[in-house]
Amino acid sequence: MAGPRRRTVRDLRRNNRATVLGKLYFEGPLSRQELGPMTALSSGSISNVVAELVADGLVEEAGSVESDGGRPRTLLRVAPGSGHLVGVDVGETRVLVELFDLSLSELARAEAPLPDGKYDAQAVVRIVATGLAQVLAEAGVAPASLIGVGIGVPGIVDASGPEGAVVHGQTIGWDAVPLEAMLRAEDRLLAELPLFVDNGAKTLGRAEMWFGAGRGARNAVIALIGVGVGACVIADGVPYRGSSSSAGEWGHTVLQVGGRECRCGARGCLEAYVGAQALLERWREAGGSWESPDEEGALAELLDDPLAAGLLDETAEFLGAGIADLVNLFNPERIVVGGWAGLLLGPRLIEPVRRAAAAYALRHPFAQTTVELGRLGTDAVTVGAATLPLAKFLETGGGTRREPIVSGAS
């Protein structure tokens, strides 16, 4: 049996770079003196690593601060323009492609509706390839500066096979779609770039944990409510995936045996009561109607209809019961409600949802939990998708396309 892999000088150097780069990214700007105790590296190691990162263009000076009796201390930060990231949201009605710098500031975006509102996999692939070319051209960014492309999709993502990421999207008719292989076959740039494909709720969860309402929590659940409903479960700071990456399909937990038919084909799922499409269907059955051509506008009309008050109260109770299940199952310190429909409904429903969750959850774990709205808006899935290549970039101490990064969901 092979023994443990020996760590090389190159491994140590990469780990030191990753440690410094991570601290500067999440807690910077910082001085060299501050980096020492934060990283447990010697002053000599800090000087060497910083010198390398500056020489590589990954770190730059960001002003200075006064020190106690000595010379001002130079502050350092990760250089925002030293690389670029692309995040893609394969949404319920459209595909959004966004280009970011390393600080995740948006530089350009391209958006296209799904043809005929259908999830034709080849059409989605073409939209992604076209959108990638558009955002690079709009921002004047060279493809060589791209660190990678992250893609959030509906469904379960399995990246364990030789074809790369394969998507099982039961609600959209994707049965083992080899999305990564299709993307690489479609476009030469996509064939060369590191690609990271993950479930959209999980990319939303990563974004909220890094930059939004989940930041600072070790155990949390980030809920996505759109046309569909999903969740990202964070256990001890790490997304919980289960044995085949399908953990978090919260929308397909049964709320009522023999209840309303869900898009997945089962009956009584939570999604069949609180998903945007289901909510609009329930409003229509109650005599409601809308003029907007899209679901977001229709949901806004529902919120303005005084006759829909009872329906919204019922929806808040359903959602509160679903959140109580999360509390009882996972004992999170924080539950964050996001997604375009969750954020649209949130100001009206969050308080009754909290009351319903308190009524259905066990008292002790609920007392340790806060229920909050997401803070990153409706583009959180693309931001989260962009963090997939960013995370690998930071973990490898600034790995580049010349030093390949293994693709797939992470």
Side-chain angles (χ1 to χ4, degrees), residues 342-388:
L343 295 178
L344 189 59
L345 294 167
R348 165 66 173 78
L349 297 189
I350 193 64
E351 286 304 327
V353 164
R354 287 177 178 138
R355 290 194 295 270
Y360 287 104
L362 293 170
R363 290 191 299 273
H364 181 70
F366 186 77
Q368 319 305 316
T369 304
T370 61
V371 180
E372 306 177 20
L373 291 177
R375 298 177 189 169
L376 299 182
T378 56
D379 288 352
V381 171
T382 51
V383 174
T387 68
L388 298 174

Short mmCIF file of all heavy atoms in Angstrom, two decimals, residues 342-388:
data_model
loop_
_atom_site.label_atom_id
_atom_site.label_comp_id
_atom_site.label_asym_id
_atom_site.label_seq_id
_atom_site.Cartn_x
_atom_site.Cartn_y
_atom_site.Cartn_z
N GLY A 342 -38.06 34.95 -3.32
CA GLY A 342 -37.90 35.10 -1.88
C GLY A 342 -37.66 36.54 -1.48
O GLY A 342 -38.21 37.02 -0.48
N LEU A 343 -36.85 37.25 -2.27
CA LEU A 343 -36.57 38.65 -1.96
C LEU A 343 -37.76 39.55 -2.27
O LEU A 343 -37.97 40.56 -1.59
CB LEU A 343 -35.34 39.11 -2.74
CG LEU A 343 -34.03 38.42 -2.37
CD1 LEU A 343 -32.89 38.92 -3.24
CD2 LEU A 343 -33.70 38.63 -0.89
N LEU A 344 -38.56 39.18 -3.27
CA LEU A 344 -39.74 39.97 -3.60
C LEU A 344 -40.83 39.79 -2.54
O LEU A 344 -41.48 40.75 -2.11
CB LEU A 344 -40.27 39.56 -4.98
CG LEU A 344 -41.38 40.40 -5.60
CD1 LEU A 344 -40.93 41.86 -5.77
CD2 LEU A 344 -41.78 39.82 -6.96
N LEU A 345 -41.00 38.56 -2.09
CA LEU A 345 -42.02 38.27 -1.08
C LEU A 345 -41.57 38.63 0.34
O LEU A 345 -42.40 38.88 1.22
CB LEU A 345 -42.38 36.78 -1.11
CG LEU A 345 -43.07 36.26 -2.37
CD1 LEU A 345 -43.05 34.73 -2.37
CD2 LEU A 345 -44.51 36.77 -2.45
N GLY A 346 -40.24 38.64 0.54
CA GLY A 346 -39.69 38.76 1.88
C GLY A 346 -40.20 39.90 2.73
O GLY A 346 -40.62 39.67 3.89
N PRO A 347 -40.18 41.15 2.25
CA PRO A 347 -40.63 42.26 3.11
C PRO A 347 -42.06 42.07 3.61
O PRO A 347 -42.39 42.49 4.73
CB PRO A 347 -40.51 43.48 2.18
CG PRO A 347 -39.43 43.10 1.22
CD PRO A 347 -39.62 41.64 0.97
N ARG A 348 -42.91 41.43 2.81
CA ARG A 348 -44.31 41.21 3.22
C ARG A 348 -44.45 39.97 4.12
O ARG A 348 -45.28 39.95 5.04
CB ARG A 348 -45.18 41.04 1.96
CG ARG A 348 -46.56 40.45 2.17
CD ARG A 348 -47.47 41.35 2.97
NE ARG A 348 -48.82 40.83 2.99
CZ ARG A 348 -49.23 39.82 3.77
NH1 ARG A 348 -48.38 39.25 4.61
NH2 ARG A 348 -50.48 39.41 3.73
N LEU A 349 -43.62 38.95 3.89
CA LEU A 349 -43.86 37.66 4.54
C LEU A 349 -42.90 37.31 5.66
O LEU A 349 -43.18 36.38 6.43
CB LEU A 349 -43.80 36.53 3.49
CG LEU A 349 -44.84 36.53 2.39
CD1 LEU A 349 -44.75 35.22 1.60
CD2 LEU A 349 -46.25 36.71 2.94
N ILE A 350 -41.77 38.01 5.79
CA ILE A 350 -40.74 37.50 6.69
C ILE A 350 -41.22 37.40 8.14
O ILE A 350 -40.91 36.41 8.84
CB ILE A 350 -39.44 38.35 6.59
CG1 ILE A 350 -38.28 37.64 7.29
CG2 ILE A 350 -39.65 39.76 7.11
CD1 ILE A 350 -37.88 36.34 6.66
N GLU A 351 -42.00 38.35 8.63
CA GLU A 351 -42.45 38.27 10.02
C GLU A 351 -43.45 37.13 10.23
O GLU A 351 -43.30 36.34 11.18
CB GLU A 351 -43.03 39.61 10.47
CG GLU A 351 -41.98 40.67 10.72
CD GLU A 351 -40.93 40.23 11.74
OE1 GLU A 351 -41.27 39.48 12.68
OE2 GLU A 351 -39.76 40.62 11.59
N PRO A 352 -44.48 36.98 9.39
CA PRO A 352 -45.36 35.81 9.57
C PRO A 352 -44.64 34.49 9.35
O PRO A 352 -44.99 33.48 9.98
CB PRO A 352 -46.48 36.02 8.55
CG PRO A 352 -46.02 37.10 7.64
CD PRO A 352 -45.05 37.93 8.40
N VAL A 353 -43.63 34.47 8.49
CA VAL A 353 -42.83 33.25 8.31
C VAL A 353 -42.10 32.91 9.59
O VAL A 353 -42.07 31.74 10.03
CB VAL A 353 -41.84 33.42 7.14
CG1 VAL A 353 -40.74 32.35 7.19
CG2 VAL A 353 -42.56 33.35 5.81
N ARG A 354 -41.51 33.91 10.23
CA ARG A 354 -40.82 33.66 11.50
C ARG A 354 -41.78 33.13 12.57
O ARG A 354 -41.45 32.21 13.32
CB ARG A 354 -40.16 34.96 12.00
CG ARG A 354 -38.92 35.37 11.20
CD ARG A 354 -38.39 36.70 11.71
NE ARG A 354 -37.18 37.11 11.01
CZ ARG A 354 -36.92 38.35 10.61
NH1 ARG A 354 -37.81 39.32 10.86
NH2 ARG A 354 -35.80 38.64 9.98
N ARG A 355 -42.98 33.71 12.61
CA ARG A 355 -43.95 33.25 13.61
C ARG A 355 -44.37 31.80 13.34
O ARG A 355 -44.49 30.99 14.27
CB ARG A 355 -45.17 34.17 13.61
CG ARG A 355 -44.90 35.56 14.17
CD ARG A 355 -46.20 36.29 14.47
NE ARG A 355 -46.98 36.56 13.26
CZ ARG A 355 -46.87 37.66 12.53
NH1 ARG A 355 -45.98 38.59 12.87
NH2 ARG A 355 -47.63 37.84 11.47
N ALA A 356 -44.59 31.49 12.07
CA ALA A 356 -44.99 30.12 11.73
C ALA A 356 -43.86 29.15 12.02
O ALA A 356 -44.09 28.05 12.53
CB ALA A 356 -45.40 30.05 10.26
N ALA A 357 -42.62 29.53 11.68
CA ALA A 357 -41.47 28.66 11.96
C ALA A 357 -41.35 28.40 13.46
O ALA A 357 -41.08 27.27 13.89
CB ALA A 357 -40.20 29.28 11.41
N ALA A 358 -41.55 29.42 14.26
CA ALA A 358 -41.48 29.26 15.72
C ALA A 358 -42.57 28.31 16.21
O ALA A 358 -42.34 27.53 17.15
CB ALA A 358 -41.62 30.62 16.40
N ALA A 359 -43.73 28.35 15.58
CA ALA A 359 -44.83 27.50 16.01
C ALA A 359 -44.60 26.03 15.67
O ALA A 359 -45.03 25.13 16.40
CB ALA A 359 -46.14 27.98 15.38
N TYR A 360 -43.90 25.77 14.55
CA TYR A 360 -43.72 24.40 14.09
C TYR A 360 -42.38 23.78 14.51
O TYR A 360 -42.25 22.55 14.52
CB TYR A 360 -43.83 24.33 12.56
CG TYR A 360 -45.24 24.49 12.06
CD1 TYR A 360 -45.68 25.69 11.50
CD2 TYR A 360 -46.15 23.44 12.14
CE1 TYR A 360 -46.97 25.84 11.03
CE2 TYR A 360 -47.46 23.58 11.68
CZ TYR A 360 -47.86 24.78 11.12
OH TYR A 360 -49.15 24.92 10.67
N ALA A 361 -41.40 24.59 14.82
CA ALA A 361 -40.07 24.06 15.17
C ALA A 361 -40.00 23.71 16.65
O ALA A 361 -40.77 24.22 17.48
CB ALA A 361 -39.00 25.10 14.84
N LEU A 362 -39.05 22.86 16.99
CA LEU A 362 -38.75 22.62 18.39
C LEU A 362 -38.22 23.91 19.02
O LEU A 362 -37.43 24.62 18.41
CB LEU A 362 -37.72 21.50 18.53
CG LEU A 362 -38.19 20.10 18.09
CD1 LEU A 362 -37.01 19.14 18.04
CD2 LEU A 362 -39.27 19.59 19.04
N ARG A 363 -38.67 24.21 20.23
CA ARG A 363 -38.39 25.52 20.82
C ARG A 363 -36.90 25.78 21.02
O ARG A 363 -36.41 26.87 20.72
CB ARG A 363 -39.13 25.67 22.16
CG ARG A 363 -40.63 25.80 22.03
CD ARG A 363 -41.27 26.20 23.35
NE ARG A 363 -41.03 25.20 24.40
CZ ARG A 363 -41.79 24.14 24.60
NH1 ARG A 363 -42.84 23.94 23.82
NH2 ARG A 363 -41.52 23.29 25.57
N HIS A 364 -36.18 24.80 21.54
CA HIS A 364 -34.77 25.07 21.88
C HIS A 364 -33.93 25.35 20.63
O HIS A 364 -33.23 26.38 20.61
CB HIS A 364 -34.17 23.91 22.67
CG HIS A 364 -32.74 24.14 23.05
ND1 HIS A 364 -32.36 25.09 23.98
CD2 HIS A 364 -31.59 23.58 22.60
CE1 HIS A 364 -31.04 25.09 24.09
NE2 HIS A 364 -30.55 24.18 23.26
N PRO A 365 -33.93 24.51 19.59
CA PRO A 365 -33.12 24.86 18.42
C PRO A 365 -33.59 26.13 17.72
O PRO A 365 -32.76 26.90 17.20
CB PRO A 365 -33.24 23.63 17.50
CG PRO A 365 -34.43 22.90 17.99
CD PRO A 365 -34.53 23.17 19.45
N PHE A 366 -34.91 26.39 17.72
CA PHE A 366 -35.37 27.61 17.06
C PHE A 366 -34.87 28.85 17.80
O PHE A 366 -34.58 29.88 17.18
CB PHE A 366 -36.89 27.65 16.94
CG PHE A 366 -37.38 28.83 16.15
CD1 PHE A 366 -37.30 28.84 14.77
CD2 PHE A 366 -37.87 29.97 16.78
CE1 PHE A 366 -37.71 29.93 14.02
CE2 PHE A 366 -38.30 31.06 16.05
CZ PHE A 366 -38.21 31.05 14.67
N ALA A 367 -34.76 28.75 19.11
CA ALA A 367 -34.28 29.89 19.89
C ALA A 367 -32.83 30.23 19.55
O ALA A 367 -32.38 31.35 19.80
CB ALA A 367 -34.41 29.59 21.39
N GLN A 368 -32.09 29.28 18.98
CA GLN A 368 -30.69 29.52 18.61
C GLN A 368 -30.55 29.97 17.15
O GLN A 368 -29.44 30.16 16.66
CB GLN A 368 -29.86 28.24 18.80
CG GLN A 368 -30.16 27.44 20.05
CD GLN A 368 -30.05 28.25 21.32
OE1 GLN A 368 -29.10 29.00 21.48
NE2 GLN A 368 -31.01 28.10 22.22
N THR A 369 -31.67 30.12 16.44
CA THR A 369 -31.66 30.38 15.00
C THR A 369 -32.22 31.76 14.68
O THR A 369 -33.20 32.18 15.29
CB THR A 369 -32.50 29.32 14.26
OG1 THR A 369 -32.02 28.02 14.57
CG2 THR A 369 -32.45 29.52 12.75
N THR A 370 -31.60 32.44 13.72
CA THR A 370 -32.21 33.66 13.17
C THR A 370 -32.63 33.37 11.73
O THR A 370 -32.00 32.60 11.02
CB THR A 370 -31.22 34.84 13.18
OG1 THR A 370 -30.08 34.53 12.37
CG2 THR A 370 -30.77 35.15 14.59
N VAL A 371 -33.73 33.99 11.32
CA VAL A 371 -34.24 33.85 9.96
C VAL A 371 -34.16 35.23 9.31
O VAL A 371 -34.80 36.18 9.77
CB VAL A 371 -35.69 33.33 9.95
CG1 VAL A 371 -36.19 33.18 8.51
CG2 VAL A 371 -35.79 31.99 10.69
N GLU A 372 -33.36 35.34 8.25
CA GLU A 372 -33.07 36.63 7.64
C GLU A 372 -33.28 36.57 6.13
O GLU A 372 -33.31 35.49 5.54
CB GLU A 372 -31.61 37.04 7.92
CG GLU A 372 -31.24 37.04 9.39
CD GLU A 372 -29.77 37.38 9.61
OE1 GLU A 372 -29.16 37.97 8.69
OE2 GLU A 372 -29.24 37.04 10.68
N LEU A 373 -33.38 37.75 5.53
CA LEU A 373 -33.43 37.84 4.08
C LEU A 373 -32.01 37.98 3.52
O LEU A 373 -31.12 38.54 4.16
CB LEU A 373 -34.26 39.05 3.64
CG LEU A 373 -35.76 38.97 3.90
CD1 LEU A 373 -36.43 40.27 3.49
CD2 LEU A 373 -36.38 37.80 3.15
N GLY A 374 -31.81 37.46 2.31
CA GLY A 374 -30.52 37.61 1.64
C GLY A 374 -30.21 39.07 1.37
O GLY A 374 -31.11 39.91 1.26
N ARG A 375 -28.92 39.36 1.24
CA ARG A 375 -28.48 40.75 1.08
C ARG A 375 -27.87 41.05 -0.28
O ARG A 375 -27.47 42.19 -0.54
CB ARG A 375 -27.44 41.08 2.16
CG ARG A 375 -27.97 40.98 3.58
CD ARG A 375 -26.89 41.23 4.60
NE ARG A 375 -27.35 40.94 5.95
CZ ARG A 375 -26.55 40.87 7.01
NH1 ARG A 375 -25.24 41.09 6.85
NH2 ARG A 375 -27.03 40.60 8.20
N LEU A 376 -27.75 40.06 -1.14
CA LEU A 376 -26.99 40.26 -2.38
C LEU A 376 -27.87 40.46 -3.61
O LEU A 376 -27.35 40.57 -4.72
CB LEU A 376 -26.04 39.08 -2.62
CG LEU A 376 -25.00 38.88 -1.52
CD1 LEU A 376 -24.10 37.70 -1.88
CD2 LEU A 376 -24.16 40.14 -1.31
N GLY A 377 -29.18 40.50 -3.43
CA GLY A 377 -30.04 40.80 -4.55
C GLY A 377 -30.25 39.60 -5.47
O GLY A 377 -29.86 38.47 -5.18
N THR A 378 -30.83 39.88 -6.61
CA THR A 378 -31.24 38.81 -7.53
C THR A 378 -30.09 38.28 -8.37
O THR A 378 -30.27 37.28 -9.07
CB THR A 378 -32.36 39.32 -8.45
OG1 THR A 378 -31.92 40.49 -9.15
CG2 THR A 378 -33.62 39.65 -7.66
N ASP A 379 -28.92 38.91 -8.33
CA ASP A 379 -27.77 38.41 -9.08
C ASP A 379 -26.86 37.52 -8.23
O ASP A 379 -25.75 37.20 -8.63
CB ASP A 379 -26.93 39.57 -9.64
CG ASP A 379 -27.62 40.29 -10.78
OD1 ASP A 379 -28.68 39.80 -11.24
OD2 ASP A 379 -27.12 41.35 -11.20
N ALA A 380 -27.34 37.11 -7.06
CA ALA A 380 -26.48 36.36 -6.15
C ALA A 380 -26.03 35.03 -6.73
O ALA A 380 -24.94 34.54 -6.40
CB ALA A 380 -27.19 36.14 -4.82
N VAL A 381 -26.84 34.42 -7.60
CA VAL A 381 -26.43 33.14 -8.19
C VAL A 381 -25.21 33.32 -9.08
O VAL A 381 -24.28 32.50 -9.05
CB VAL A 381 -27.59 32.50 -8.97
CG1 VAL A 381 -27.11 31.27 -9.76
CG2 VAL A 381 -28.71 32.08 -8.02
N THR A 382 -25.17 34.39 -9.88
CA THR A 382 -24.00 34.61 -10.73
C THR A 382 -22.78 34.98 -9.90
O THR A 382 -21.66 34.55 -10.21
CB THR A 382 -24.26 35.70 -11.78
OG1 THR A 382 -24.78 36.88 -11.15
CG2 THR A 382 -25.24 35.24 -12.83
N VAL A 383 -22.97 35.78 -8.86
CA VAL A 383 -21.84 36.09 -7.97
C VAL A 383 -21.31 34.81 -7.35
O VAL A 383 -20.10 34.55 -7.32
CB VAL A 383 -22.27 37.08 -6.87
CG1 VAL A 383 -21.14 37.28 -5.86
CG2 VAL A 383 -22.66 38.42 -7.48
N GLY A 384 -22.23 33.96 -6.86
CA GLY A 384 -21.81 32.71 -6.27
C GLY A 384 -21.13 31.80 -7.27
O GLY A 384 -20.15 31.10 -6.95
N ALA A 385 -21.64 31.78 -8.51
CA ALA A 385 -21.00 30.96 -9.55
C ALA A 385 -19.56 31.43 -9.80
O ALA A 385 -18.65 30.62 -9.98
CB ALA A 385 -21.82 31.01 -10.83
N ALA A 386 -19.36 32.75 -9.80
CA ALA A 386 -18.01 33.29 -10.01
C ALA A 386 -17.07 32.94 -8.86
O ALA A 386 -15.85 32.87 -9.06
CB ALA A 386 -18.08 34.80 -10.21
N THR A 387 -17.62 32.73 -7.67
CA THR A 387 -16.74 32.37 -6.56
C THR A 387 -16.20 30.95 -6.68
O THR A 387 -15.24 30.59 -5.99
CB THR A 387 -17.46 32.50 -5.19
OG1 THR A 387 -18.48 31.52 -5.09
CG2 THR A 387 -18.00 33.89 -4.97
N LEU A 388 -16.79 30.12 -7.55
CA LEU A 388 -16.28 28.75 -7.71
C LEU A 388 -14.86 28.76 -8.27
O LEU A 388 -13.95 28.17 -7.66
CB LEU A 388 -17.22 27.93 -8.58
CG LEU A 388 -18.65 27.74 -8.04
CD1 LEU A 388 -19.52 27.02 -9.06
CD2 LEU A 388 -18.64 26.97 -6.74
#
